Each structure stands twice: as C-alpha cells, then as structure tokens.
Amino acid sequence: VGLRLEVAKFFWYLFMTVLFSMTSAALCISVATSVKTIYTGNMLSVAFLLINALFTGLLKNKKILPYYIQWIFKGSYWSYTYESLLSSEFHGLVLTIDPEGLPPRKARGDLWLTELGMDTNMVYYNAIFLFGFFVMFLVMAKILLKWKVKERL
C-alpha cells in the first residue's frame, strides 16, 4: 500500500494498539469479576469481544447501514481504534490503485476514508473515547469486585 514511514505515525500506531489491548484486558477483567465460573467468564468475554469486532466498521461499512442501527458503532470501542488508526495512516495520502487488467489510477486516502464513513478530524478524540472505555471497564470491575467478593477475617 505504501504506508507512511514517519516516526510520529509509528508511535501513534503503537500508542493506539497498546491502549486497545489494555481496554480489551479491562473488559475481560470486568466480565471475570461478574461471574462465578471460569467457563462462563471465558464465554462471555469472547462474546463481548466478537460483538465489538462486528461493529467496528471493518466487516460492515457504517454508511450502508440504516440510521437506526448506526448508533451501535458508538458502543464499540473497537470502532474508535479502527477509525483512529485508519485516519492517521490514510489522511492526506495519495494511493495508486493498480488492479490487474485495468490502467492504474490515483486515489486520495481522504476519499477512501469518507466512503467508509470515517471522520479524519476525530483521530485524537477517538483516543480519548478509547481511554474512557478503559477507565469505565476498570471502574466497573472494581465495583463488581467490591459487590461480589466478601472478605473473610
């Protein structure tokens, strides 16, 4: 594709993937504190992760879904990561699309992002929303742990 070789883009990618991993771990911790058995915790964590993956924007484009379903993307922390990473990488980039049997064409990365329904101005806001999900999952785990586990003296 011709990805960017800028140091700032690399560190932004690294920051977002680490924050995404921490948020996923916090989700699994909050699910684990809410159930009694390991089996149930594992199954619920996988279910939550798959639901988040479904509403990322990778499998289904936001723009082609009806307006009454598009709100679901706001509840998926994966969509914030995906939008931030793609916007950071493709904003301002000119791509050469060279399909076999057709002449090569130039395409702007901003046009491609717009077709996917992504906002290039939301790169840093997406990181803030992702951090908010991280904090929310940790607070939820703390509350559930305090509520479900009774200390024995």
Side-chain angles (χ1 to χ4, degrees):
V1 174
L3 301 177
R4 298 183 180 194
L5 296 175
E6 301 168 19
V7 175
K9 299 288 182 186
F10 171 74
F11 281 112
W12 182 256
Y13 170 80
L14 193 63
F15 170 73
M16 286 302 292
T17 52
V18 168
L19 185 58
F20 171 75
S21 297
M22 289 172 28
T23 307
S24 295
L27 170 68
C28 293
I29 289 170
S30 65
V31 168
T33 57
S34 66
V35 296
K36 289 187 181 211
T37 65
I38 294 173
Y39 174 77
T40 308
N42 284 339
M43 295 308 289
L44 281 176
S45 293
V46 169
F48 281 128
L49 291 173
L50 286 176
I51 290 169
N52 271 295
L54 180 63
F55 295 108
T56 299
L58 174 65
L59 301 174
K60 209 58 164 151
N61 190 347
K62 289 186 224 182
K63 285 179 66 173
I64 64 171
L65 290 175
Y67 69 92
Y68 53 86
I69 295 179
Q70 290 180 0
W71 65 270
I72 296 175
F73 285 97
K74 299 294 183 198
S76 171
Y77 68 93
W78 285 42
S79 67
Y80 295 108
T81 307
Y82 185 62
E83 182 177 29
S84 181
L85 289 174
L86 284 182
S87 296
S88 171
E89 188 62 41
F90 291 108
H91 177 61
L93 190 66
V94 177
L95 305 166
T96 302
I97 301 173
D98 190 11
E100 189 175 324
L102 296 172
R105 295 182 184 240
K106 299 277 186 193
R108 289 184 15 248
D110 294 324
L111 176 66
W112 186 69
L113 290 169
T114 305
E115 283 300 313
L116 290 176
M118 297 188 181
D119 187 2
T120 57
N121 298 324
M122 295 289 289
V123 174
Y124 300 111
Y125 292 112
N126 286 331
I128 293 169
F129 291 139
L130 186 60
F131 184 73
F133 273 101
F134 172 67
V135 170
M136 178 188 71
F137 290 143
L138 286 182
V139 168
M140 188 175 9
K142 170 97 171 133
I143 291 169
L144 287 169
L145 194 61
K146 194 140 181 92
W147 178 58
K148 300 268 294 181
V149 176
K150 305 293 183 204
E151 271 190 64
R152 290 184 225 157
L153 296 174

